Amino acid sequence: MRTTTFIQAINEALKEEMRRDESVFLIGEDVGRYGGLFRVTRNLFEEFGEDRVIDTPISEQGFMGMATGAAIVGMRPIVELMYMDFFLVCADQIFNQAAKMHYMTGGLVNVPMVIRGQHGGGKRYGSQHSQCVESAFAQWPGIKVLAPSTPYDAKGLLVSAIRDNNPVVFIEHKMLYFTRGELPEAGEELIVPIGKADVKREGKDLTLVSFSYTLLEALEAAEELQAEYGIDVEVVDLRSIVPLDTETIYTSVEKTGRLLAVHESQSNCGIGSEIVARIYEEAPHLLKAPARRLGMAPASLPVSQKLEEELLPWKKNIKAAVLEMLQPVAA
Amino acid sequence: MPISVEADILSSRADTVIEPAVLSNETLTKMYRDMVLIRRVEESLLELAESGKIGGAMHTAIGHEGTAVGMAAALQPDDYLTCTYRGHHHSLARGMDPKRAIAEVLGKADGFAKGKGGSMHFLDPSLGLMGANGIVGAQVPHAAGMALASKIRGEGRIAITFFGDGALYQGVMHETFNMSQRWLLPIIFYCENNRYSEMTPIGRTSSVRDIYMFARAYGMHSLQIDANDVEVVYAAVTQAAERARAGDGPTFIEGITYRLAGHMAGDLETYRSPDEIEAQRAHEPLVVLQRRLLDRGADEKTLAEIRAEVEAEVAEAVEFAQNSPWPHPAETYTDVFAL
């Protein structure tokens, strides 16, 4: 094992899949000669040429639609949205077209494509470049939604996404790009299956479910809670939002009896709401105390560092939420 | 007060004139049969809609038959095609079985998509029919993506995409024109200008009189043709396909035609007068082709036999579709995700 950045892991997955399968190609704004705004696609233009690493004009609807069309006839396009917020510009092509094509053709057509890009706050990009987007995609049947938190999962899940025969939204996070983690040697095949959550920290007092960058904040919170209060939090990384691995969540709650779902996006109508609702419907007997959600308050992310910090439901808020749920244990 | 469209909007600009093909009587007779078949299927579907057997929105292409049949004859059977929700005629012209087409519109198990797609989503990948679309303009970048795929794979297939005059005012069209021309993709953009964007004559909302001029802004080869003349359509699509296959990039064809039926089944058509429609009947594709065949020595008896044969074929297809079972309820939950 070696350690690499999150960016390097994604770049390797793209490169290795493009070498393996000629039908894989990249398309998006500045993905070619420049190597992507965040340098995720660097050096790929040089290796694969302009036919397979395509710089587009700023026309999200147009190139998302072209990728959909190419996928319908058997290519495996990977579309980069420079900021995930821009999915709204091409929403028809994603939601009405790519997502529904397999269903409304009675299965005659597949749309094997990946839509990838970074979302989230923490870098003061303001309201139109910081939104977390996973719950919007999760409402639409026909789209798989992935949001890894480590280089290992990022590489392995992206390989699975590229080989999947459906539209897969692969959500990166701008705060994750320069984080580092262990990764097998380049060229060594790494596959992380879609739809499997992963226990990133074992614990016995409470199950904390999260994903994407917030998962790292949750892990830090868990370490501090252990050191400061002796509270032992189990941290489950969803990795895959759709399909959702409730089995791993329930197995964990069976042990801890407590569930807290945390994400950066709004609490209201978020994935946390879904997880909490599901446990009450499917396995309420596992809970020793009410399950809870923690997410952002309903406001757009402001630019000011102080205001952004106020809004993001990160380590400080996570610790407070866990302490509230475990008052008796902490005391 | 209905605002009538101009009787004749064909441009007289010399740079758009195209020499019609002169096809053999045998070919034209086959085309006549295909056009009569499309007309009869559409009329039968309207009858079924009137009797309450078809839900939702159904858009027929009565008056557009010359476009579909001229195109089908000019292209290879595996060239990619996408089209609008007014897309029954393209599919039938490319060989879709009327039985499965009508069954699909009725939502029956024998429909090509098991009744899940219906009238607005005609397709059959085995015939190169890669999807009609319910959203105006959305199918156009799909075809460009297919042309891109063909170019990357070097497979020599081209793409054609059909859209109405109303689609030109969607932003995605212009994004696609720009990229397709910049990358010289093997694609034909075919605008079926039937004078109405749903219920509104294009003159009321467009700042551009001649739609084919839009494409000129992107440096694209473009022309305007009389799409009620199947030999003109055939010639224009043949030339555009040759350009695409030679690597010369896209062609934009504005085919002037006229929608003889409403925008959709049940359209009140308050926006035009019966006189306007009647005037257009003298120049509709079936009338034009029948007149030409007779002028070139075909015999009216043969044409009457064709009409009777098609009548029986379509009646049989309607019966087949009506007798087709409903899809099994379990089908509701299949095909959400591909394996």
Side-chain angles (χ1 to χ4, degrees), chain A residues 51 55 57 59 61-62 65-66 69-70 73 75 92-93 96-97 102-106 108-110 142-143 165-166, chain B residues 80 112-114 116-117 121 123 133 135 138 141-142 145-146 149 152-153 172 175 179 183 332 334-339:
Chain A
D51 275 356
D55 279 320
S59 302
Q61 264 201 92
M66 288 176 69
V73 298
M75 297 294 284
D92 177 64
Q93 286 298 335
N96 252 334
Q97 307 299 329
H102 185 69
Y103 188 84
M104 68 188 183
T105 62
L108 287 176
V109 157
N110 290 349
I143 310 178
N165 287 326
N166 296 281
Chain B
Y80 300 121
F112 52 81
K114 301 179 275 190
K116 291 180 175 180
H121 301 288
L123 96 164
N133 210 294
I135 303 296
H142 296 174
M146 292 163 197
I152 294 174
R153 298 193 284 225
V172 72
E175 297 181 16
M179 284 186 274
W183 300 334
T332 316
T334 63
D335 306 319
V336 176
F337 286 107
L339 297 176

Side-chain angles (χ1 to χ4, degrees), chain B residues 150-161:
Chain B
S150 176
K151 194 174 180 217
I152 294 174
R153 298 193 284 225
E155 61 188 16
R157 295 163 93 172
I158 67 165
I160 188 166
T161 181

Side-chain angles (χ1 to χ4, degrees), chain B residues 45 48 53-54 101-108 115 118 318 321-322 326:
Chain B
L45 286 171
L48 288 165
K53 290 183 173 138
I54 296 170
I102 298 170
E104 182 65 29
V105 178
L106 292 175
K108 296 299 193 68
V318 169
Q322 290 196 299
W326 292 108

Side-chain angles (χ1 to χ4, degrees), chain A residues 8 54 56 195 203 240 256:
Chain A
Q8 176 69 18
I54 302 172
T56 66
S240 170
T256 64

Side-chain angles (χ1 to χ4, degrees), chain A residues 71-93:
Chain A
I72 287 170
V73 298
M75 297 294 284
R76 291 186 178 272
I78 301 170
V79 187
E80 176 173 305
L81 285 176
M82 188 180 273
Y83 290 80
M84 267 299 179
D85 310 66
F86 305 164
F87 85 87
L88 294 163
V89 181
C90 50
D92 177 64
Q93 286 298 335

